[in-house]
Amino acid sequence: MNTEPKPIYGDGNPETHPLTWRLSKQEHVRNADDYEALEGYAGFKKAITMPPKDVLEVIKAATVKGRGGAGFPAGIKWSLMAPNDGGPRYLICNADEMEPGTFKDRLLMEKLPHQLIEGMLIAAYTLEATQGYIFIRGEYIEAAQYLNEALEQVRAKGYLGDNILDTGWNFELYVHTGAGRYICGEETALINSLEGRRANPRTKPPFPQVAGAWGRPTIVNNVETYNNLPAIMLRGPEWYIGLSAGKSKDPGTKIYGASGKVKFPGLWELPFGTTAREVIEDHAGGMRDGLKLKAWLPGGASTDFLAAEHIDLPMDAESIMKAGSRLGTCLLMVVDETQCMVSATRNLEEFFARESCGWCTPCRDGLPWAVKALKALENGEGKKEDIDHLQELTRKLWIGKTFCAHAPGAMEPLMGALKHFRSEFEAKVVNAAAQNRDVAQA
Ligand SMILES: Cc1cc2nc3c(=O)[nH]c(=O)nc-3n(C[C@H](O)[C@H](O)[C@H](O)COP(=O)(O)O)c2cc1C
Ligand code: SF4
C-alpha cells in the first residue's frame, strides 16, 4: 500500500494517460495557448480535415463507452441521430454530476476545460450540430467560470462562431448553469430544464437523438465521454482499444476514484479492468486508522452494494454486472466494519427520496416509505415486516414500474444491502424485540 497520495496522471505519459497527462506538466491548463502547446486542439484540427461521416467511423471503431453511468457506446448513439434537414441540431454536455460520491467531471472541468471543449467540437463537427450547451450544476461555480473563460479564448481563435477554420460550418457553445437537482442529470429532464421547463423526465421514445431540445435532434453525453475524443482522433481507435487490452473488454482508460474511510480519497486515471483492490489499496492507500473494509459501492449511490469478498473484481461493466451490481461512474464508496449498513442505506435513500421529481407515484410515495422503514429499523423500532416491505419495494420500484431510472437506481444500494448484509437488518429487529420486552418489564 502506498504511504503518500498518488497523482491522477500516473507517470504523465500521453500514451497511457490520455485524459490527465497534461496535469503532470501544469497544475491546471486553463489557457488555450498552453493547451495548444500540449497537443491541444490537434485532435479537433485533424477531425475537420475529414468528412464528418469518417470521423463518426473513427469514434465507432474506438467503441468508446459513455461515462455518465449507463455505458452506452457513443458512436452508436451518434449514428442514431436524425439526418440533417438544415434546421437546428443540438449537442449537450451533461455536467450535472450530482451522484453522491462522484466528483470526476468537476476535476476535468476545473483543471482541463479546453479538453472538454475540444471533445465537444469534435462531436459537434461530426454530428453537424449548430449549437451546444454545457449543462453544469449550479454549485460548480468555479468550473463554470473557467469554462466560460476558455470559451472566450477559443472564440477569439476562430474555433467557435461562423465558418469555423474555413470549413463552412457554424457552431456556438454555451455554458448553462442548472439549479442543482439530481434529476437534472437524467438526460430528458436536463433538456426540459434547459428549455426553462420543470425538470421532469420525458417519455422515450422519441429519444433525444430524434426529438430532443426544442423538439430537434440532440445528443447528450457526459463530460468524461467528450474528454476521450481528442486523443482518439490523434492516436486512433486501435491505440485506444489497446489501453485496456488484456484487462477488460471495455476500451480505454477511466477516471476511477475512492471516497469514504480510505487513507487518500481521490481520483486516478487507470485502464478499464483495474481491480477494486488496486484502486482501494494501491491508489487510495487502503483503509484508514486500521479499519477493515466491509462493503463498497462500485460507482456512485445508485449502484448495488458489494461485499469485501468482491474486492478482486476487475472494475469493468461485465465483471461488476456478473457480481450483481453496476459499474456506474467507477468512483468507489467504501463502508468500514464499524459502520451500520442500515444507517448507510437510510442515508442514501433519504437523498433519493428528497431528489424524486414527484412525477410518478411509485417513486414519489415509495421512496419515503423506504426511508420510514429504514429509520424504524435504525432506531430499534423496526419489525420483521419492515424488512419484507423493503424487499417488496425493490420489486415495486424496479425498471418498468416507474417513469425514469431514478427509482430503480435508488433501489440498487438497498438491494445490495439486503442481499449481502441482511443479518444486520435482522439484528435490528431482534434488538427492537428485546427493547420492547425491557419496556414491558419496567
Ligand atoms: C436520475 C439520473 C441522474 C443522472 N445523472 C447524470 C449525471 O449527473 N451526469 C451524467 O452524465 N449522466 C447522468 N445520468 C445519465 C444520463 O441520463 C445519460 O444517460 C448520460 O448523460 C449520457 O451520457 P453518456 O452516454 O456519455 O454516458 C443520470 C440518469 C438518471 C436516471
Ligand atoms: S421515477 Fe422518480 S424521478 Fe423518475 S419520473 Fe418518476 S418520480 Fe420522477
Side-chain angles (χ1 to χ4, degrees):
M1 286 186 210
N2 53 319
T3 50
E4 280 186 14
K6 285 194 176 180
I8 187 170
Y9 48 75
D11 57 4
N13 180 350
E15 295 280 341
T16 55
H17 292 75
L19 302 176
T20 58
W21 68 274
R22 293 180 177 93
L23 299 178
S24 69
K25 315 281 177 210
Q26 284 183 212
E27 196 190 329
H28 50 74
V29 189
R30 297 186 192 129
N31 179 285
D33 293 333
D34 291 350
Y35 181 68
E36 292 204 299
L38 297 167
E39 293 187 353
Y41 292 106
F44 169 58
K45 286 177 187 158
K46 183 170 174 192
I48 58 169
T49 63
M50 298 160 64
K53 64 175 182 27
D54 290 357
V55 184
L56 177 61
E57 289 312 313
V58 173
I59 303 303
K60 275 167 85 175
T63 62
V64 53
K65 284 183 156 190
R67 307 298 210 253
F72 194 79
I76 295 182
K77 184 189 279 186
W78 294 10
S79 56
L80 296 172
M81 194 178 193
N84 193 351
D85 61 3
R89 293 164 72 77
Y90 297 108
L91 185 78
I92 296 176
C93 172
N94 190 340
D96 197 57
E97 193 165 68
M98 228 179 114
E99 185 77 25
T102 298
F103 43 97
K104 65 184 177 69
D105 297 342
R106 177 181 180 178
L107 177 128
L108 289 169
M109 291 186 288
E110 286 185 356
K111 293 194 179 273
L112 294 160
H114 285 285
Q115 193 167 265
L116 170 59
I117 295 169
E118 183 180 4
M120 288 191 77
L121 283 172
I122 293 167
Y125 173 76
T126 312
L127 299 162
E128 299 173 295
T130 52
Q131 261 171 32
Y133 295 92
I134 301 172
F135 186 101
I136 185 167
R137 68 181 281 191
E139 292 91 335
Y140 280 4
I141 294 165
E142 284 179 32
Q145 181 196 326
Y146 301 143
L147 282 164
N148 271 319
E149 287 166 7
L151 286 175
E152 277 310 309
Q153 293 164 15
V154 293
R155 220 166 261 128
K157 283 180 180 283
Y159 303 168
L160 284 174
D162 288 346
N163 190 22
I164 295 169
L165 300 180
D166 292 326
T167 53
W169 166 59
N170 310 331
F171 178 68
E172 258 308 338
L173 182 56
Y174 307 97
V175 174
H176 179 96
T177 48
R181 298 314 304 242
Y182 183 66
I183 197 59
C184 291
E186 196 282 336
E187 59 183 11
T188 59
L190 182 159
I191 290 170
N192 269 342
S193 178
L194 183 67
E195 289 184 12
R197 298 168 196 270
R198 181 176 155 174
N200 293 328
R202 292 180 178 177
T203 316
K204 290 193 264 189
F207 287 91
Q209 296 93 299
V210 176
W214 296 281
R216 297 293 306 167
T218 303
I219 290 291
V220 183
N221 276 123
N222 170 260
V223 172
E224 190 185 350
T225 313
Y226 290 119
N227 269 265
N228 276 269
L229 308 182
I232 294 174
M233 286 317 299
L234 212 54
R235 298 194 155 77
E238 293 80 18
W239 159 82
Y240 184 71
I241 290 168
L243 282 169
S244 56
K247 276 185 169 264
S248 171
K249 284 186 206 155
D250 292 343
T253 57
K254 177 80 193 73
I255 308 279
Y256 287 99
S259 63
K261 288 186 183 167
V262 287
K263 276 195 198 123
F264 307 119
L267 298 166
W268 306 277
E269 184 181 359
L270 301 165
F272 263 118
T274 301
T275 65
R277 185 187 291 282
E278 285 170 84
V279 177
I280 295 171
E281 295 185 355
D282 296 349
H283 289 82
M287 299 298 286
R288 208 193 289 170
D289 308 325
L291 292 165
K292 274 183 78 180
L293 175 74
K294 177 160 75 176
W296 52 286
L297 291 163
S302 61
T303 57
D304 299 61
F305 274 113
L306 291 172
E309 73 206 46
H310 298 114
I311 193 174
D312 287 308
L313 279 176
M315 291 284 293
D316 64 17
E318 194 178 74
S319 313
I320 298 293
M321 200 174 70
K322 273 192 194 152
S325 188
R326 214 163 47 81
L327 192 60
T329 60
C330 286
L331 274 82
L332 291 95
M333 281 201 277
V334 306
V335 177
D336 73 80
E337 276 202 331
T338 65
Q339 289 174 285
C340 165
M341 290 307 294
V342 177
S343 302
T345 311
R346 190 263 309 145
N347 184 25
L348 297 176
E349 296 309 328
E350 268 187 330
F351 168 81
F352 288 118
R354 192 186 71 219
E355 294 299 327
S356 165
C357 83
W359 195 241
C360 56
T361 311
C363 174
R364 183 184 61 236
D365 288 354
L367 290 176
W369 273 106
V371 173
K372 199 174 167 196
L374 287 162
K375 274 189 174 165
L377 288 163
E378 193 181 11
N379 296 334
E381 294 159 0
K383 304 187 188 74
K384 185 190 163 296
E385 295 78 66
D386 287 319
I387 302 178
D388 299 338
H389 188 188
L390 287 169
Q391 195 77 65
E392 198 185 332
L393 282 172
T394 65
R395 288 186 289 273
K396 291 195 167 154
L397 272 68
W398 195 234
I399 298 164
K401 305 276 179 19
T402 62
F403 200 74
C404 85
H406 176 84
M411 289 300 99
E412 290 192 33
L414 177 59
M415 283 196 296
L418 287 170
K419 183 173 168 190
H420 300 293
F421 304 98
R422 197 181 181 93
S423 58
E424 284 196 34
F425 287 72
E426 288 167 351
K428 293 282 183 188
V429 175
V430 174
N431 290 343
Q435 212 175 51
N436 290 343
R437 199 179 48 239
D438 292 348
V439 170
Q441 281 169 358

